[in-house]
Amino acid sequence: MRTANEGAARRVLMIAGFLLIAANLRVALTSIGPLVETIRGDLHLTAGEAGFIGTLPLLTFAAVSPQVPRLTRRFGTDQMLWAALATLAAGIVARSLPVTGLLWVGTVLLGAAIAVGNVLMPSLIKRDFPDRVSAVTGVYTAVIGIMASVAAGVAVPLAGTLPGGWRTSLGCWAGLVLVGLAVWTPQITRQRGAAPAEPTKTATPWRSLLAWECAAFMALSACGFYTVQSWYSSILQSHGTSETTAGWLLFAYQFVGVIMSIVMPFVLARLRDQRGVAFVSALIAVSGYLGLLFLPDLAVLWVLLTGIGAGGVFFLALAFFSLRAEDPRSSAALSGMGQSVGYLVAAFGPVLFGYLHDVTGDWRVPLAVLAGLTGVHALIGLRAGRDAHVQV
């Protein structure tokens, strides 16, 4: 009975730690967006420097993600996640200290830490919940979305209330990371003394067509998400929507994405593969972009449709790293590759979108290009969603 109780307690701690890691994977990123103009004025940053605050984590994701599977094979999944949480706390604190250079150092540290979590969470799901991949991925993405929205929503009020202003508003999230670190600590002894032999296979997902299809699906999912986050408010305001209403519509876009994370596992449970739902989700997003292009007066409808489609493809992009992998090791390798490619593309997506606006003088061409890319996204979903596996 004692052994059963200990096993149950360990399981509870593992699930709590899993949820806390998910909760921490976006708050450090979304909490800074509403404060960028305040930070820019306080630190006398140029517009380009201020914009780079949002781009630097994505570039860090792209650089660090491919290295994570190799480090994980050496140190272990649980240990790497613990180290990621510790690094994340250090990065959040460093970014909030009154030393300008530490803003950039802290951003790189937290970006590296989040990259580790991004890569290893699908592998962890494959390892610990092999029969419930879709359901657990739904919980994972829902927690990410909820906490990302909360962090963005309270950033400005906290800056106006807490002593230290924006620095304290950003730094306070280190407390949530420390809670996650404490809860996850028992996991680092999970397999100590019983480590499996090092695999001898040398294949990599970079040589797999299916892996590239999953990576391309992730790239277009991330590109669409970060482009909408960066520019949708500006597009809506250009059609007469107030700043406040545009902000609430962007919140609605995120909230609908959270709902899709909850709904999608029930949808997938009835399907043999994910091709159809990937194709349809991307087409729903296309309809939202085209609707805003041709009938901007119905902005509420188009934002909701875009949120439904984007929420669906974002869920699938993460789920594919588990569903398309033969085993946890392959999942980590596939996730590392996919997220490296995905976030590299995502880093340049908003920049290209803004450049097209500057060149053409309005939002019609950028929206048309985004709709076209999302149409390609739908076609790639027909390939990435088929019932096949990557093994490395």
Side-chain angles (χ1 to χ4, degrees):
M1 181 64 68
R2 180 181 177 185
T3 301
N5 289 338
E6 289 176 352
R10 181 177 288 276
R11 184 73 171 174
V12 169
L13 276 176
M14 188 274 292
I15 293 172
F18 168 82
L19 294 175
L20 283 165
I21 292 173
N24 279 293
L25 286 181
R26 291 294 180 274
V27 294
L29 303 179
T30 59
S31 61
I32 198 169
L35 297 170
V36 165
E37 287 302 316
T38 302
I39 295 170
R40 179 186 175 190
D42 188 31
L43 300 182
H44 308 293
L45 302 177
T46 66
E49 290 171 336
F52 195 58
I53 293 174
T55 302
L56 185 57
L58 302 181
L59 295 176
T60 306
F61 292 171
V64 172
S65 295
Q67 313 306 321
V68 175
R70 177 178 58 83
L71 293 172
T72 302
R73 289 195 294 272
R74 180 174 180 181
F75 297 108
T77 299
D78 300 321
Q79 289 80 0
M80 283 292 293
L81 286 170
W82 188 93
L85 286 172
T87 303
L88 179 58
I92 291 174
V93 171
R95 185 178 65 173
S96 64
L97 293 176
V99 179
T100 300
L102 290 180
L103 173 67
W104 308 107
V105 173
T107 299
V108 171
L109 286 175
L110 66 87
I114 294 172
V116 174
N118 285 340
V119 170
L120 291 184
M121 289 298 273
S123 176
L124 186 72
I125 293 170
K126 185 74 172 181
R127 185 191 75 184
D128 292 338
F129 308 96
D131 299 325
R132 297 179 176 86
V133 168
S134 294
V136 176
T137 301
V139 173
Y140 163 53
T141 53
V143 170
I144 287 177
I146 291 169
M147 290 305 300
S149 299
V150 169
V154 303
V156 173
L158 286 177
T161 303
L162 297 175
W166 66 265
R167 296 185 186 276
T168 308
S169 179
L170 295 181
C172 70
W173 293 106
L176 181 62
V177 182
L178 293 177
V179 173
L181 194 63
V183 173
W184 193 253
T185 295
Q187 290 298 117
I188 65 175
T189 60
R190 171 187 169 94
Q191 297 178 353
R192 193 169 287 175
E198 183 72 17
T200 57
K201 295 177 182 177
T202 58
T204 74
W206 297 87
R207 300 174 184 174
S208 165
L209 176 60
L210 177 58
W212 275 104
E213 290 162 351
C214 291
F217 194 87
M218 174 65 188
L220 291 174
S221 298
C223 182
F225 175 80
Y226 284 102
T227 298
V228 168
Q229 289 292 320
S230 298
W231 293 113
Y232 241 45
S233 290
S234 299
I235 296 171
L236 294 170
Q237 290 177 56
S238 73
H239 291 297
T241 304
S242 70
E243 183 178 9
T244 300
T245 302
W248 278 112
L249 286 174
L250 194 57
F251 173 81
Y253 165 84
Q254 295 172 327
F255 184 74
V256 170
V258 172
I259 294 175
M260 289 301 297
S261 298
I262 298 171
V263 170
M264 286 292 283
F266 296 99
V267 175
L268 297 186
R270 301 174 180 271
L271 302 174
R272 294 180 57 187
D273 57 43
Q274 301 82 41
R275 289 176 295 179
V277 70
F279 184 78
V280 171
S281 295
L283 288 187
I284 291 174
V286 171
S287 70
Y289 299 139
L290 292 178
L292 191 59
L293 173 61
F294 293 111
L295 294 171
D297 290 341
L298 300 177
V300 174
L301 173 62
W302 309 132
V303 168
L304 292 177
L305 282 176
T306 303
I308 291 171
V313 296
F314 176 71
F315 170 87
L316 288 170
L318 296 178
F320 284 162
F321 298 141
S322 299
L323 293 170
R324 296 287 82 85
E326 186 70 30
D327 49 54
R329 178 173 182 258
S330 299
S331 179
L334 178 59
S335 182
M337 172 189 171
Q339 302 212 39
S340 175
V341 173
Y343 287 114
L344 182 61
V345 173
F348 292 99
V351 176
L352 174 62
F353 198 83
Y355 172 76
L356 289 174
H357 171 263
D358 290 341
V359 170
T360 62
D362 61 35
W363 296 108
R364 288 178 295 177
V365 171
L367 278 171
V369 170
L370 185 58
L373 288 174
T374 310
V376 174
H377 197 183
L379 297 178
I380 293 173
L382 292 175
R383 296 286 301 174
R386 70 190 192 276
D387 188 13
H389 297 92
V390 174
Q391 183 174 20
V392 299

